[in-house]
Amino acid sequence: MTELIRTELIRHWIAGKFDDATPQRTGDVFDPATGKLTKRVAFASESDVDTAVAKAAEALKTWRHTSLARRSNVLFAFRELLNQRKGELAEIITAEHGKVVSDAAGEVQRGLENVEYACGIPNLLKGGFSANASTSVDVHSVRQPVGVVGVISPFNFPAMVPLWFVPGAIACGNTVVLKPSEKDPSAANFIAQLWHEAGLPDGVLNVVHGDKVAVDALLAHPTVKAVSFVGSTPVARYVYETGTGNGKRVQALGGAKNHMVVLPDADLDLAADAAVSAGFGSAGERCMAISAVVAVDPVGDELVAKIAERMAKLSVGDGRRSCDMGPLVTAAHRDRVTSYVAAGLSAGAELVVDGRGVRVDGESDGFWLGPTLFDNVGTDMSIYTDEIFGPVLSVLRVPSYAAAIEVLNNNPYGNGTAIFTANGGAARQYCEEVEVGMVGVNVPIPVPVSYYSFGGWKDSLFGDAHAYGPDGIQFYTRSKVVTTRWPDPSHGGVNLGFPQNN
């Protein structure tokens, strides 16, 4: 108990300051590389969520009418602050999530790209105009904010996913209540403070921490008009059904089982590099991780050997040291992922590389599991059917391109996929036939750049709108069409001053 009293408490950020009330419930935050308790995080009650939403609703009255020029100024200021302090944010992520610092820095950089896209909001919100649609009648369209937006983000990208949603929502004139993962909550508070320093008015962005109580409060709150979510498929389905059942606009991005198809004409060294990089980066805790390699005969033996050779050179350890891969986020998650290794063996898959008991450059109590490789995996095995969300890579062998397509399209997930081939015709056919939302050709993690949109198909997405980019602008605004007829304008007077954009 003495240790808990000394441990830092991560508090809610509401209306431009930290909430100083004593929370009724808290959660533990660990350093995954040491296994040590480092912080506690306040868990929001329904009343806490009500307070945050009320502050967001109050701020909306002014922010929605703030000019595009002033909104853009705040966004540019936030962009500069985030760029200047991205190293600090990366270290915060590593301390609570466990991914290596270079990977955390890459996460922040990809989030920064979405901030830069949102900085162009004056251009992104332009409507249409038709002069003299009927005699002396003009018609124009505008896009207006939806209102208070709830953002519920996952543990695996504590900075990037909030930066997928929050900049676009704010740029469009909405206000936001962000509920980050309780496993690694500090990044959200750091980002909120940067927004405050950039000049964002109090209440436009609020952060409430917690668990399902906070999530359900956001989904049920009548003032929250839209919800953006990223997480597992069962929870994404729940968020979508509950949110839409309460009359909200919802985009809920779910889980994945991302396949990488390797054709016989592929550069196998390139494919092996890609499989290892995309399979074990961030310890496999990515919704865009490659977790299933589909080897088209006869490349299986050579490809598996090349992947195993590269895995043997990977170093596992504390993300603040010179390691390739860090720990998993919690002990419970490590144990869950480890259980799949035993399940794969029991099902008859060939365990080529066993990550259990891996030697690490870190403390023994860290949440460790080394890179793991299975060969000859069947589509009925749990290591294939389930989203493991850890450093476990499965190789499936198929006799033909047609069989590979059948495997992918029969899978319930449709998030991302990749094909490795030197045949442009085969690649083009694959892009046309595969039932997946994001495709990479000789690119292992096809995460779209900020001016496109991110999202899958089938059980990987609930709702019509993908994340960020053009879909994000559409999701955070409503279209309005105005038809006008005016008499001849009167003379407005003389003003020789240079016009100002305010």
Side-chain angles (χ1 to χ4, degrees), residues 242-265:
T242 306
T244 55
N246 285 312
K248 304 184 191 314
R249 179 180 291 190
V250 179
Q251 52 178 178
L253 282 67
K257 197 71 183 182
N258 302 316
H259 299 71
M260 188 177 95
V261 174
V262 183
L263 298 187
D265 65 348

Side-chain angles (χ1 to χ4, degrees), residues 70-424:
R70 294 193 181 191
R71 288 187 223 164
S72 186
N73 285 341
V74 172
L75 283 155
F76 273 108
F78 173 70
R79 186 266 174 203
E80 291 304 300
L81 288 169
L82 182 60
N83 189 49
Q84 291 166 13
R85 302 185 65 183
K86 58 188 177 184
E88 294 175 60
L89 181 53
E91 291 176 358
I92 290 170
I93 294 168
T94 295
E96 292 184 356
H97 175 274
K99 65 179 68 175
V100 300
V101 171
S102 60
D103 191 21
E107 168 186 347
V108 177
Q109 187 61 42
R110 290 307 299 267
L112 191 60
E113 293 174 11
N114 289 293
V115 179
E116 292 168 350
Y117 180 79
C119 285
I121 196 63
N123 181 63
L124 299 172
L125 284 186
K126 287 191 300 185
F129 185 88
S130 296
N132 217 36
S134 185
T135 304
S136 299
V137 174
D138 302 328
V139 180
H140 74 275
S141 63
V142 295
R143 301 206 66 87
Q144 295 183 330
V146 295
V148 177
V149 172
V151 173
I152 305 166
S153 63
F155 75 82
N156 59 321
F157 287 106
M160 186 180 74
V161 170
L163 293 173
W164 279 1
F165 298 125
V166 173
I170 287 174
C172 289
N174 304 282
T175 55
V176 177
V177 179
L178 167 64
K179 206 298 285 184
S181 171
E182 66 277 16
K183 295 179 177 67
D184 45 10
S186 294
N189 280 6
F190 184 86
I191 290 170
Q193 290 174 275
L194 291 186
W195 276 108
H196 182 72
E197 190 175 342
L200 189 69
D202 294 346
V204 176
L205 172 62
N206 308 275
V207 181
V208 293
H209 301 285
D211 54 5
K212 189 174 182 293
V213 172
V215 171
D216 286 345
L218 285 171
L219 295 176
H221 204 294
T223 304
V224 176
K225 301 303 181 184
V227 173
S228 298
F229 171 86
V230 175
S232 67
T233 286
V235 181
R237 182 181 284 112
Y238 171 81
V239 167
Y240 179 76
E241 292 175 352
T242 306
T244 55
N246 285 312
K248 304 184 191 314
R249 179 180 291 190
V250 179
Q251 52 178 178
L253 282 67
K257 197 71 183 182
N258 302 316
H259 299 71
M260 188 177 95
V261 174
V262 183
L263 298 187
D265 65 348
D267 181 330
L268 294 188
D269 286 316
L270 178 66
D273 288 342
V276 172
S277 299
F280 304 119
S282 193
E285 295 172 328
R286 291 173 175 161
C287 65
M288 291 301 289
I290 293 296
S291 55
V293 174
V294 183
V296 179
D297 288 342
V299 303
D301 288 346
E302 186 177 359
L303 179 61
V304 169
K306 286 181 179 291
I307 291 173
E309 177 186 358
R310 286 157 173 78
M311 290 174 62
K313 300 176 183 178
L314 295 178
S315 61
V316 178
D318 192 319
R320 290 155 292 210
R321 304 177 187 177
S322 298
C323 301
D324 298 307
M325 195 185 91
L328 277 77
V329 67
T330 64
H333 185 58
R334 185 267 318 278
D335 294 345
R336 174 185 174 276
V337 175
T338 302
S339 73
Y340 278 100
V341 182
L345 279 170
S346 297
E350 178 188 348
L351 184 57
V352 180
V353 179
D354 188 348
R356 297 171 297 182
V358 64
R359 295 182 62 182
V360 300
D361 181 9
E363 297 188 23
S364 59
D365 290 335
F367 308 140
W368 309 111
L369 176 65
T372 300
L373 176 64
F374 279 103
D375 191 11
N376 292 303
V377 174
T379 55
D380 59 341
M381 299 179 183
S382 64
I383 56 173
Y384 173 74
T385 59
D386 297 357
E387 184 186 28
I388 299 175
F389 222 62
V392 179
L393 185 63
S394 297
V395 177
L396 294 80
R397 302 198 184 205
V398 296
S400 64
Y401 166 85
I405 284 288
E406 184 177 1
V407 167
L408 266 77
N409 287 348
N410 284 339
N411 192 279
Y413 295 110
N415 203 46
T417 186
I419 184 169
F420 278 73
T421 178
N423 187 320

